[in-house]
Amino acid sequence: MAAHFDRRLRKAAVTTTVAAVVVAALSASQAPDVTADAHGRQTTADNMPTSDAPSEESATGNSPYYTDLPPLNSPSPAPTIGTPASRGPAEAGIPATVLDAYKKAESELRRTKPGCNLPWQLLAAIGKVESGQARGGRVDAQGNTLGRIIGPQLDGNGFALIKDTDNGVYDGNSRYDNAVGPMQFIPSTWAWAGRDGNADGKDDPNNIYDAALSAGHYLCRNGWDLSVQADLNRAILSYNNSQDYLHTVLSWLEHYRKGTHEIPDGTGTLPVGRSDDGTGLTGPSPSPGATGATTGPTAPGTSTPGPGKPTPPAPPKPSDPGTGSPSPKPPTDPSTPPTTETPTDTVHHLENAGTTGLTAIAGDTFTQKISTRAETKAGQSVGKVRIRFTVIGDTDAAFTGGDKVAAVTTNASGVAVAPALVAGEKTGGFTVRATVIGRTVAGLDYRATVTERVADAIARTGATALTCTPGGEFADRVEVKATHKGAAADKVAVTATLIKSVLDPVESDKGPYFKDADGKTVRTLTGLKTDAKGLLTLPKLYADDTTGTFVLRLTTAGGATLNVQLKVAEAQPEPSPDPSTDSPDASPSPSTEPAA
């Protein structure tokens, strides 16, 4: 858990003169909506909202982070906190592959979630405080870190208590979870937030492309608009729930917005100040198991200080009031978890809280939301338990906002209600699985079905008679409109068949026909779909040498039917002119009979 800056600053803030310098520096380098309090800490205009997400639902499990701040002597100073002495060395820039990953993640999020307005500089700021930009850019050309970056085990001793959720696959620890990778995701969060950012067919928290894209999606959930300060604050706090963390990330965000540059991989500077080292902002290298450690032959959750870096001194022991001597403290076994039982620990199973008949038409929102109840072995409801809902299967259905995963806390009745589920265009069945976050309990599956779009009526948009001469082509094309409950039915499948008659709906073998791409005769068309206005214009119709009246039948998904009459007949000859009316000036011929 992050230490408070008040404690970390007590060594530096030794005189009121230093405090005055801090406030002066703050005044000269504020970010928008950021002010300083009497202790030189930043606050925002909305009084700094806090995240209500518990540790096991945050990105990092509220693991430790680097506290180094942007240099004061940067060309465009970024906002500051702490004392001028707490500033780290001049920022060297961002390693090339790491910077590329941030920018590609921003590009993808602007395409898939444009309303989020995610800047790549935010990913860079978080990457800086979480892992020092993947330990100064120690990654290969594909973005894989050279050695895993593992945080301390979250065993409840000074940190959150998060028991193992990945069988040690990512963090090498089969008892507790550790934050992993350049963006420091805990395995339980990575399980639903992980994305494949480099298109290699897998999502890996130890790959900077995957981690950066996943961090972007994580920050863009809940409909947050990161161009709005309040939403930006909430998103950052959900990543690591600490006000000091928020201040530090905002400082680096402003710094990177004012400009940075690309440097070769592996040449970046590694921060040294740690939120858990107990030595202030300019403390020595990370403590064993801290973020930024590279795994090797050491035990899970531990690391060896880098070359030339001193081992951090033990923090001072609290004194016994009245004596000045260190207070006796009973020894603790780090491997022994706290005995305090949480609501999550009491959950024995999940029950369906009344969800039935999950069916929706493609593109529609399911009318019913999924409800799950957490219960003890005795069947008692358990409140304040986090339930994760995950969409599983070959489907493009998702919860509102486009996410495949949602986490909801059970209410006083032990019930968690998932966000509204929206059907995609893929028809068929899929599963939504409910699981308890932070506890191994059998998941509860809900079967959902997406049916094709339907229309209950279809009609021609014109009334012109459709006629043609033998061997010719129809001058007018058939256009129809499909509707459902009076509204335009878009993307509805339509089948067009030339049949023998209304009473004999078998495909005709003579008369009008369509042509396929090769110019061959076709009398049945499938795969047709109406447009956004419910309209469909059929291809051109042709006629063979058979005369008569024919029927074109159109049917839609949903059962709507329309019969269109087509007539093929010889052209009527024009009437012969009447000789007596050939000329308007015609007069009787003169008589040839002799006069009497």
Side-chain angles (χ1 to χ4, degrees):
M1 298 287 284
H4 290 292
F5 268 179
D6 279 346
R7 187 180 71 226
R8 295 203 302 269
L9 294 176
R10 63 179 178 269
K11 290 187 177 182
V14 294
T15 65
T16 55
T17 303
V18 173
V21 171
V22 173
V23 175
L26 283 162
S27 301
S29 57
Q30 289 298 315
D33 300 322
V34 179
T35 58
D37 65 16
H39 299 286
R41 297 172 301 185
Q42 289 177 331
T43 58
T44 58
D46 60 1
N47 201 27
M48 308 305 284
T50 59
S51 171
D52 60 357
S55 297
E56 64 270 19
E57 197 55 31
S58 72
T60 67
N62 297 333
S63 291
Y65 55 91
Y66 287 116
T67 56
D68 282 6
L69 296 167
L72 277 173
N73 59 351
S74 59
S76 299
T80 71
I81 55 176
T83 69
S86 72
R87 292 284 167 159
E91 173 66 0
I94 302 177
T97 300
V98 178
L99 180 59
D100 184 56
Y102 296 151
K103 290 185 175 181
K104 285 184 176 176
E106 178 199 55
S107 177
E108 175 65 13
L109 266 298
R110 289 200 180 281
R111 183 183 68 83
T112 58
K113 294 184 177 180
C116 177
N117 295 306
L118 172 81
W120 67 261
Q121 292 91 342
L122 176 59
L123 297 176
I126 291 176
K128 181 69 175 181
V129 302
E130 291 295 346
S131 69
Q133 311 298 20
R135 297 193 311 274
R138 294 189 64 239
V139 296
D140 63 20
Q142 288 71 46
N144 300 307
T145 59
L146 303 178
R148 291 188 296 178
I149 305 173
I150 306 294
Q153 68 176 16
L154 302 173
D155 57 7
N157 291 296
F159 305 109
L161 171 61
I162 304 179
K163 297 177 181 178
D164 176 65
T165 60
D166 67 331
N167 293 319
V169 171
Y170 293 121
D171 53 17
N173 189 343
S174 59
R175 187 162 189 179
Y176 300 100
D177 270 351
N178 305 62
V180 180
M183 303 302 278
Q184 287 290 279
F185 277 96
I186 54 174
S188 58
T189 299
W190 184 262
W192 59 267
R195 299 292 198 280
D196 179 11
N198 61 350
D200 64 353
K202 61 182 180 180
D203 51 81
D204 181 2
N206 297 294
N207 180 280
I208 186 58
Y209 287 100
D210 294 356
L213 181 60
S214 301
H217 275 283
Y218 181 89
L219 294 164
C220 284
R221 72 197 194 287
N222 296 333
W224 285 328
D225 178 357
L226 303 185
S227 66
V228 176
Q229 189 67 40
D231 282 358
L232 174 64
N233 292 346
R234 293 186 184 96
I236 295 171
L237 285 168
S238 76
Y239 209 91
N240 193 316
N241 193 12
S242 160
Q243 291 294 327
D244 294 339
Y245 181 86
L246 173 63
H247 298 320
T248 306
V249 170
L250 287 175
S251 295
W252 281 107
L253 170 59
E254 189 68 12
H255 177 79
Y256 288 134
R257 276 177 167 163
K258 291 179 181 296
T260 187
H261 60 284
E262 177 185 301
I263 60 173
D265 289 343
T267 64
T269 57
L270 185 63
V272 292
R274 296 284 310 170
S275 65
D276 64 330
D277 60 17
T279 60
L281 294 175
T282 56
S285 61
S287 56
T291 307
T294 306
T295 57
T298 56
T302 65
S303 67
T304 303
K309 293 183 179 179
T311 301
K317 297 179 181 180
S319 59
D320 184 21
T323 66
S325 302
S327 300
K329 186 177 181 180
T332 59
D333 181 0
S335 64
T336 303
T339 57
T340 304
E341 192 172 53
T342 67
T344 300
D345 294 329
T346 68
V347 177
H348 177 266
H349 60 273
L350 296 176
E351 288 287 342
N352 186 334
T355 303
T356 58
L358 286 171
T359 302
I361 296 172
D364 286 357
T365 299
F366 284 78
T367 56
Q368 189 175 177
K369 293 182 179 180
I370 298 174
S371 299
T372 299
R373 184 171 54 255
E375 295 184 353
T376 64
K377 188 174 183 178
Q380 295 178 321
S381 300
V382 185
K384 298 182 179 180
V385 173
R386 299 286 283 179
I387 304 297
R388 179 181 296 119
F389 297 94
T390 307
V391 177
I392 302 172
D394 183 18
T395 179
D396 52 355
F399 295 112
T400 302
D403 291 321
K404 294 282 189 178
V405 178
V408 181
T409 302
T410 58
N411 59 21
S413 300
V415 176
V417 181
L421 191 62
V422 181
E425 294 303 320
K426 287 185 179 179
T427 59
F430 65 94
T431 298
V432 177
R433 179 167 297 162
T435 55
V436 179
I437 297 173
R439 183 168 174 78
T440 304
V441 173
L444 182 61
D445 288 348
Y446 297 80
R447 190 65 178 169
T449 303
V450 177
T451 60
E452 60 184 341
R453 293 172 182 259
V454 298
D456 54 23
I458 184 170
R460 279 190 67 195
T461 59
T464 305
L466 299 169
T467 61
C468 180
T469 58
E473 60 183 52
F474 287 81
D476 296 313
R477 295 171 65 177
V478 178
E479 183 184 70
V480 295
K481 181 173 183 177
T483 56
H484 180 64
K485 296 181 180 179
D490 64 319
K491 299 180 182 178
V492 172
V494 178
T495 298
T497 305
L498 290 151
I499 60 176
K500 290 185 177 181
S501 70
V502 172
L503 299 178
D504 186 5
V506 176
E507 180 183 284
S508 178
D509 56 0
K510 58 185 177 181
Y513 61 90
F514 299 105
K515 289 183 180 180
D516 64 13
D518 298 324
K520 295 180 180 179
T521 298
V522 176
R523 289 193 169 89
T524 297
L525 296 178
T526 58
L528 304 172
K529 284 193 175 182
T530 59
D531 64 14
K533 297 180 179 180
L535 298 173
L536 171 66
T537 301
L538 298 181
K540 184 180 288 291
L541 276 162
Y542 302 87
D544 61 16
D545 294 333
T546 308
T547 59
T549 299
F550 302 90
V551 177
L552 169 65
R553 173 165 289 179
L554 294 101
T555 57
T556 73
T561 302
L562 172 66
N563 293 319
V564 179
Q565 190 177 84
L566 306 173
K567 187 173 183 179
V568 180
E570 295 287 351
Q572 294 295 325
E574 294 189 18
S576 300
D578 185 351
S580 64
T581 59
D582 241 7
S583 172
D585 297 329
S587 55
S589 300
S591 175
T592 57
E593 293 184 11

